[in-house]
Amino acid sequence: MSSSPNAQLTPEAAGSGSTASDVGKEHKRRAVGSGLWNVLHAGGTTGLNTLFGVLLIIGLPPSEVGIYNYAGGVVALGAAMMTTGFDSFVVRRILQDEQKAPQVLASALVLREALAAFALMMAIGLVLTSGSLTVAMAAVVMTSALFLRALETPSLWFLAHLRSRTPTIVVVSASAVLFCVKVISLFTFGELWILIALFVLEAGVCGVSICLTYRRVSGLPFFVSPSWADIRHMLKEAWPLMVAGGADQFASKVGMFFLQAVHGSAYVAVYSAAVRFTELAAMLPVVFMTSTLPLLVKFSQGDSGVYQRYLQKSYDRAFWLGVLAGLLLWVAGSIVITVIFGDDYRESITVLAITSCGAPFLFMGAIYTKWTVTEGHYRVLLTRYFCGAVAATTVAFLVVDRWGPVGAGVAWLSAIVVGTYLSTLVDRRSWKAAGQMSKAFVWPIRVTIAFLRDRLSKQG
């Protein structure tokens, strides 16, 4: 049996000449490295999905593109509830008692499978509004992939021991191979149901590969009896984050759900063509926060003034980097839509112009999310996504019927703006964040005023 990875973090394991300081530096180095591999994991899989979504627009008629993207949106809603919330609690339980790691992972797997079943029932209820049997069948079949995705639970063992490199290589490699298979199938057969079957197969390949890798690397058994006490504890502690994750995904997808119900799959395709580019912008804040989160945690444990100044700088930079990213996204996306996608997707340019305006709030939202987690304000996070979901649903109900894909884009933007910014006014604990975000809007003016004051003081 392999030794515990934690042994590498002790002075004895590092060598008789090692000191606690050396071990601490090594731990920090491994933590940063593991975090970067997590970014590569999320960025690699999201990037491949986004690229395939673009190729899908080229290879399939708009109605079938809309069916695939609608079903994918239902899957994303269920996946958010499965993965958001209790991962951190699983990691903490593994570190507290390494000997119980297999039981903890088994408990987490059971909970994830239960959530997958709930997501499937939710999908069945949701697709009843789609107005199409084909759309409903596609959504139900693709949502079944969540049962296979739950098998990736052992990746949390690697995360707990700062070894995210291993599951990242496994999952991204498997996804890359299946990506090639899907592309070949797309342009060889052009059959929607083959692509849906490959979507489910990809989930199975990734899940089984993680299980086998965990068994080989850790030497620990995987299929053991779960602890119902652990399941109840995870559910009790993590439900606000789980609900928040589901509300966040619902807020971003509700416009598309309304669009399918009112106008059909071809209109969903037009909307999705723009959203595919916006997904690229949504990846960037993850990278941004990975580089700033360690400092955020460090400053939160020290001087309050330094901590608040660092938060303000983070919001300033996030907002204006988002402005730049949104502008570049709109220009590049408009060129691709015009040159490659053709006249069927011309309205996507207008939708992209609207959704690109949300990039600054996506960037600030990354800071806000990490702040709530750092401070332990999970209910604030729940309030944020609930407000975003209510705003998006209300807007979608009012405008999607008249404005079509453009209305769905407005609903998406309202979810981001309300969820990130206006929701901070609801809870007293987030009022300071509201003030810092508001100051970020006028950062260039603040910098200019500070510069002029400095020059005047020197002249005086």
Side-chain angles (χ1 to χ4, degrees):
M1 180 180 292
S2 302
S3 61
S4 170
N6 281 337
Q8 299 176 19
L9 303 180
T10 63
E12 292 79 9
S16 58
S18 299
T19 65
S21 176
D22 294 332
V23 174
K25 291 179 180 178
E26 173 65 12
H27 184 85
K28 290 180 180 179
R29 184 188 68 79
R30 292 183 61 199
V32 172
S34 183
L36 292 175
W37 278 105
N38 283 327
V39 171
L40 179 60
H41 187 156
T45 53
T46 303
L48 289 173
N49 288 333
T50 300
L51 179 57
F52 182 71
V54 172
L55 295 176
L56 203 67
I57 294 172
I58 301 173
L60 290 181
S63 59
E64 294 188 358
V65 173
I67 292 171
Y68 189 93
N69 285 314
Y70 179 89
V74 176
V75 174
L77 181 59
M81 297 186 65
M82 283 177 56
T83 58
T84 304
F86 64 86
D87 286 7
S88 59
F89 299 101
V90 176
V91 170
R92 186 170 60 191
R93 287 284 290 115
I94 292 173
L95 292 176
Q96 287 172 348
D97 191 346
E98 174 65 22
Q99 297 302 317
K100 291 186 177 180
Q103 188 178 53
V104 172
L105 290 174
S107 302
L109 174 62
V110 169
L111 184 54
R112 279 187 167 180
E113 294 288 6
L115 289 171
F118 176 76
L120 181 60
M121 291 187 292
M122 183 176 59
I124 293 173
L126 183 62
V127 297
L128 291 177
T129 67
S130 65
S132 169
L133 179 60
T134 303
V135 172
M137 291 175 60
V140 171
V141 172
M142 288 179 68
T143 303
S144 67
L146 293 177
F147 292 99
L148 299 173
R149 280 290 181 185
L151 295 176
E152 294 185 30
T153 300
S155 62
L156 298 176
W157 181 87
F158 292 96
L159 179 61
H161 296 107
L162 305 179
R163 299 176 65 174
S164 296
R165 176 178 181 270
T166 300
T168 296
I169 292 175
V170 170
V171 172
V172 174
S173 298
S175 297
V177 171
L178 267 297
F179 169 81
C180 295
V181 174
K182 288 189 293 186
V183 171
I184 293 173
S185 299
L186 172 63
F187 292 106
T188 301
F189 304 106
E191 175 56 51
L192 173 65
W193 288 102
I194 293 179
L195 299 176
I196 291 175
L198 290 174
F199 177 89
V200 178
L201 176 64
E202 180 181 356
V205 170
C206 291
V208 172
S209 298
I210 287 294
C211 288
L212 295 176
T213 303
Y214 163 76
R215 182 70 180 88
R216 175 178 58 83
V217 173
S218 70
L220 298 172
F222 179 57
F223 294 104
V224 300
S225 298
S227 167
W228 297 108
D230 272 338
I231 293 175
R232 287 193 298 270
H233 178 70
M234 290 177 196
L235 200 55
K236 179 181 178 181
E237 293 291 326
W239 75 264
L241 290 178
M242 292 162 57
V243 175
D248 179 34
Q249 279 296 317
F250 181 79
S252 65
K253 300 292 190 297
V254 66
M256 182 178 67
F257 297 152
F258 269 89
L259 196 59
Q260 170 64 43
V262 177
H263 294 288
S265 300
Y267 284 81
V268 172
V270 173
Y271 168 74
S272 300
V275 172
R276 286 296 181 184
F277 292 97
T278 308
E279 289 174 352
L280 293 175
M283 288 170 50
L284 298 177
V286 177
V287 178
F288 180 80
M289 272 311 303
T290 298
S291 62
T292 59
L293 180 58
L295 285 175
L296 180 63
V297 175
K298 177 182 177 182
F299 287 141
S300 69
Q301 300 168 347
D303 181 81
S304 176
V306 174
Y307 177 47
Q308 294 302 325
R309 285 194 294 273
Y310 180 75
L311 276 172
Q312 184 62 63
K313 288 182 179 179
S314 297
Y315 282 121
D316 293 342
R317 294 167 182 169
F319 182 82
W320 289 97
L321 280 174
V323 170
L324 177 61
L327 181 61
L328 294 176
L329 177 73
W330 177 68
V331 172
S334 297
I335 294 174
V336 172
I337 291 171
T338 301
V339 175
I340 299 178
F341 294 172
D343 290 339
D344 288 339
Y345 292 91
R346 189 164 299 279
E347 193 176 5
S348 300
I349 298 176
T350 304
V351 179
L352 181 59
I354 294 170
T355 57
S356 296
C357 294
F361 295 92
L362 282 174
F363 273 72
M364 287 200 304
I367 306 292
Y368 185 48
T369 297
K370 297 305 180 185
W371 170 78
T372 55
V373 173
T374 300
E375 297 287 337
H377 296 330
Y378 299 136
R379 299 297 177 89
V380 172
L381 196 63
L382 180 58
T383 299
R384 169 193 174 183
Y385 291 132
F386 178 77
C387 290
V390 170
T393 303
T394 302
V395 172
F397 178 78
L398 293 175
V399 303
V400 166
D401 187 20
R402 287 180 293 172
W403 296 353
V406 172
V410 173
W412 182 91
L413 181 61
S414 67
I416 300 301
V417 174
V418 173
T420 298
Y421 180 56
L422 296 181
S423 67
T424 58
L425 303 176
V426 176
D427 194 308
R428 289 179 60 90
R429 291 172 292 184
S430 57
W431 285 359
K432 184 169 289 186
Q436 290 173 325
M437 290 186 198
S438 299
K439 290 174 67 176
F441 299 159
V442 294
W443 179 54
I445 298 175
R446 288 167 38 223
V447 171
T448 302
I449 293 175
F451 174 77
L452 293 176
R453 284 179 177 174
D454 183 62
R455 291 293 300 270
L456 291 173
S457 63
K458 289 181 179 179
Q459 292 177 359

